[in-house]
Amino acid sequence: MTSATSTETPAAGAAAPTPQRIGVPREIFPGEKRVATVPDVVAKLVKLGFAVVVEQGAGDLADLSDAAYVEAGASIAPNAAALWSGSDIVFKVRAPTADEVALMHEGQTLIGFLWPAQNPELMQQLVAKKVTALSIDALPRTLSRAQKMDALTSMAGVSGYRAVVEAANAFGRFFNGQITAAGKVPPAKVFIAGAGVAGLAAIGAAASLGAIVRANDTRAEVADQVVSLGGEFVKVDYEEEGSGGGGYAKVMSEGFQAAQRAMYAQQAREVDIIVTTALIPGKPAPKLITAEMVKSMKPGSVIVDMAAEQGGNCELTEPGKAVVKHGVTIIGYTDLASRMARQSSTLYGTNLFRLTEELCKTKDGVINVNMQDDAIRGLTVVKNGEITWPAPPLAAAPKPPAKPVAAVAEKKGGHGHGSSGPLPAKTLAVVFGLGALAFWAIGAYAPPAFLAHFTVFVLACFIGYMVVWNVTPALHTPLMSVTNAVSSIIVIGALVQILPPEAGSNGRPDTLIQWLAFAGIVLTAVNMFGGFAVTRRMLDMFRK
């Protein structure tokens, strides 16, 4: 049996390491339909050098046949015992049961949702087996490069979408408003408590169905995200920052919670559907919807409690069930992601593949659990039979070094010879003085017709400059192209110099002016048609 981890680089001329086998067992948790990888991901794992074995029937509930896995390059194990005993690495969705841990062997690597804080007994069982365990839920989510491995986000997005689907199924009316021959149907009103990943997915799904969507979160910075998805952010009338770090919310003060309960009570009386998503890592789900709030809701209303597995955000939630109390349907399903098994399995399998890429950068089919890597260190909860969870806090990013005072002064145009900063006061006064003198000369000696045109020209330049200057920089490029096209109206002036003169006029201008006018028409034509063409290409980039 090959070692589950490798930390040494083979010497030159040494034999290549034996590729490790990745095992994917069938999930035995009641009601779990997901599988830890899909055929498309199997093909990618094989390209990394791994051998992949899948337990017979592992993907059946996600509509993934054994034949599809074989076609992608995997082999099929007849039962769980054969799979666990013959695998160096095991991909799972749910945490293993005691019976599954009993099938593990020393040196094996386990990757899946282990929830070390909630499963101390499992941690001790893994230590006794002297294995290495990576808990995908312990990924440091603040690392930008870890986003591709963030299975919590993937599953939360699926769950948020599915929550709205379940609400629509239990709700007795349309989500969107309609005017029919039989009468007017008002749009449904949906309130989302918590605007994390799951909440934002629910907002997008409900808004796309035509509902009036409101949402609240303790983190004020998500308000713009709510609005961008078509929702209305409902603010609690109490000032307190709710970000707890790591992308999660924190436990709020009693004063804030009282104000929040008052706001929730008002929303419960007004809306038709409530979706709750509030969770705090390592703690029971906070109770946001009281029994009194449920009683105040309109008959036929729906509550989807996405925190049911951790106790629920509603006092009347029964985990794993959909119940009707006080005329309100309360859905406490704990398998929302599993209800879209194929989609969830595809996303989860891709997350594990990205993690495998980080563990096997040599692409030789052997993983290296590098404890110097912040992302891998955060994931690793047991290493070779020793508990390594929780990981130490991530080091703060170093502050940029302060610039020397002399360098700052030179950059601002202090005393450097090559300074490009503002002009000195004396030089600026001379420039303005010469400019004023030039304008006085033009006004004193120029013909009245020229002076009128010159005044319009100066005002046009000034107004155009101010309009463009106040435009968001992100819009400068398309704005410039269309502005160039529109400003080509100056071609009219050139046409006046070429077209036949009107009766009673003094005749055509001389030949030089006509040729200059012709050149102006050619250049402005290029500017005009080119500007519109560039604008169209830029706008096409933003269309789906």
Side-chain angles (χ1 to χ4, degrees):
M1 187 64 58
T2 57
S3 174
T5 59
S6 174
T7 57
E8 297 181 359
T9 303
T18 303
Q20 294 178 315
R21 300 183 72 189
I22 296 176
V24 182
R26 180 172 57 87
E27 297 294 326
I28 61 175
F29 187 87
E32 182 57 69
K33 299 178 181 179
R34 291 173 291 178
V35 61
T37 196
V38 297
D40 288 344
V41 174
V42 167
K44 297 176 182 179
L45 292 171
V46 171
K47 287 183 179 179
L48 279 181
F50 294 95
V52 181
V53 57
V54 180
E55 184 181 351
Q56 184 176 8
D60 287 351
L61 297 179
D63 298 322
L64 300 167
S65 65
D66 291 344
Y69 282 106
V70 172
E71 185 177 354
S75 57
I76 304 298
N79 52 52
L83 181 130
W84 285 89
S85 63
S87 301
D88 304 298
I89 307 161
V90 176
F91 286 177
K92 271 190 60 62
V93 179
R94 295 276 185 169
T97 64
D99 292 338
E100 288 177 315
V101 173
L103 297 175
M104 298 184 72
H105 56 78
E106 182 177 347
Q108 203 167 31
T109 300
L110 173 66
I111 303 176
F113 284 108
L114 305 182
W115 305 105
Q118 289 88 349
N119 296 312
E121 293 182 3
L122 172 62
M123 297 286 285
Q124 295 302 324
Q125 293 169 2
L126 295 174
V127 167
K129 284 290 184 176
K130 297 183 179 180
V131 300
T132 296
L134 279 68
S135 184
I136 198 70
D137 51 272
L139 179 74
R141 304 174 76 184
T142 54
L143 294 175
S144 58
R145 70 181 186 85
Q147 294 177 0
K148 61 185 179 182
M149 302 178 278
D150 191 356
L152 278 175
T153 294
S154 298
M155 297 302 99
V158 175
S159 298
Y161 176 87
R162 184 68 189 197
V164 173
V165 173
E166 296 292 343
N169 181 57
F171 190 53
R173 290 196 287 107
F174 295 127
F175 263 46
N176 63 326
Q178 297 187 19
I179 298 178
T180 69
K184 181 179 178 181
V185 179
K189 295 180 180 179
V190 180
F191 178 70
I192 313 293
V197 176
L200 292 174
I203 293 168
S208 66
L209 289 174
I212 297 174
V213 184
R214 305 168 184 170
N216 168 261
D217 196 281
T218 57
R219 298 160 292 186
E221 63 268 20
V222 305
D224 290 338
Q225 300 177 43
V226 171
V227 174
S228 68
L229 289 170
E232 174 193 351
F233 187 79
V234 183
K235 188 177 180 181
V236 176
D237 189 17
Y238 193 97
E239 294 297 329
E240 183 176 349
E241 173 55 43
S243 179
Y248 296 98
K250 70 174 185 179
V251 178
M252 306 300 286
S253 67
E254 182 56 38
F256 181 93
Q257 292 181 35
Q260 186 182 54
R261 284 192 293 270
M263 183 269 289
Y264 282 163
Q266 178 183 353
Q267 294 299 321
R269 291 190 296 269
E270 296 179 0
V271 302
D272 304 297
I273 297 169
I274 296 177
V275 179
T276 65
T277 69
L279 283 173
I280 298 174
K283 297 181 180 292
K287 299 300 181 185
L288 305 178
I289 308 299
T290 64
E292 291 300 321
M293 295 180 193
V294 176
K295 291 180 182 179
S296 70
M297 296 182 72
K298 292 172 283 189
S301 298
V302 179
I303 296 175
V304 182
D305 193 341
M306 295 184 62
E309 194 166 5
Q310 278 73 45
N313 296 136
C314 176
E315 288 183 348
L316 303 180
T317 297
E318 296 185 18
K321 299 179 181 179
V323 297
V324 178
K325 297 184 178 180
H326 307 296
V328 177
T329 301
I330 304 173
I331 299 174
Y333 296 150
T334 58
D335 60 345
L336 290 172
S338 184
R339 287 169 180 258
M340 299 182 67
R342 184 169 184 135
Q343 181 67 79
S344 299
S345 299
T346 300
L347 295 175
Y348 183 65
T350 302
N351 292 139
L352 293 192
F353 167 69
R354 296 303 181 189
L355 171 58
T356 307
E357 282 185 318
E358 294 294 318
L359 293 170
C360 182
K361 294 183 177 180
T362 54
K363 298 183 180 180
D364 57 359
V366 177
I367 66 171
N368 173 24
V369 182
N370 180 12
M371 300 295 275
Q372 303 303 315
D373 185 309
D374 288 338
I376 304 303
R377 176 64 186 88
L379 286 168
T380 307
V381 296
V382 178
K383 177 71 181 294
N384 296 330
E386 295 183 5
I387 293 179
T388 59
W389 182 86
L394 296 177
K399 295 182 179 179
K403 295 182 179 180
V405 176
V408 174
E410 183 175 352
K411 184 175 181 181
K412 291 184 177 181
H415 305 287
H417 294 290
S419 173
S420 58
L423 294 174
K426 291 183 179 180
T427 305
L428 195 62
V430 171
V431 171
F432 272 100
L434 292 176
L437 185 62
F439 275 100
W440 175 83
I442 292 173
Y445 298 103
F450 174 83
L451 190 60
H453 289 301
F454 183 73
T455 302
V456 173
F457 172 75
V458 172
L459 290 175
C461 291
F462 176 75
I463 293 173
Y465 172 78
M466 294 305 296
V467 169
V468 173
W469 186 262
N470 290 310
V471 172
T472 302
L475 299 177
H476 273 181
T477 305
L479 176 73
M480 291 301 99
S481 58
V482 75
T483 302
N484 286 339
V486 174
S487 66
S488 296
I489 196 171
I490 61 174
V491 73
I492 295 175
L495 288 172
V496 169
Q497 301 299 322
I498 293 180
L499 295 176
E502 297 179 359
S505 67
N506 295 328
R508 293 177 178 273
D510 59 33
T511 306
L512 176 60
I513 293 179
Q514 287 182 321
W515 278 108
L516 290 175
F518 176 77
I521 291 173
V522 173
L523 293 176
T524 52
V526 173
N527 195 42
M528 184 185 303
F529 294 107
F532 281 118
V534 171
T535 301
R536 176 175 290 276
R537 292 185 61 183
M538 290 178 183
L539 294 178
D540 285 341
M541 296 170 60
F542 297 95
R543 295 192 180 101
K544 293 183 179 180

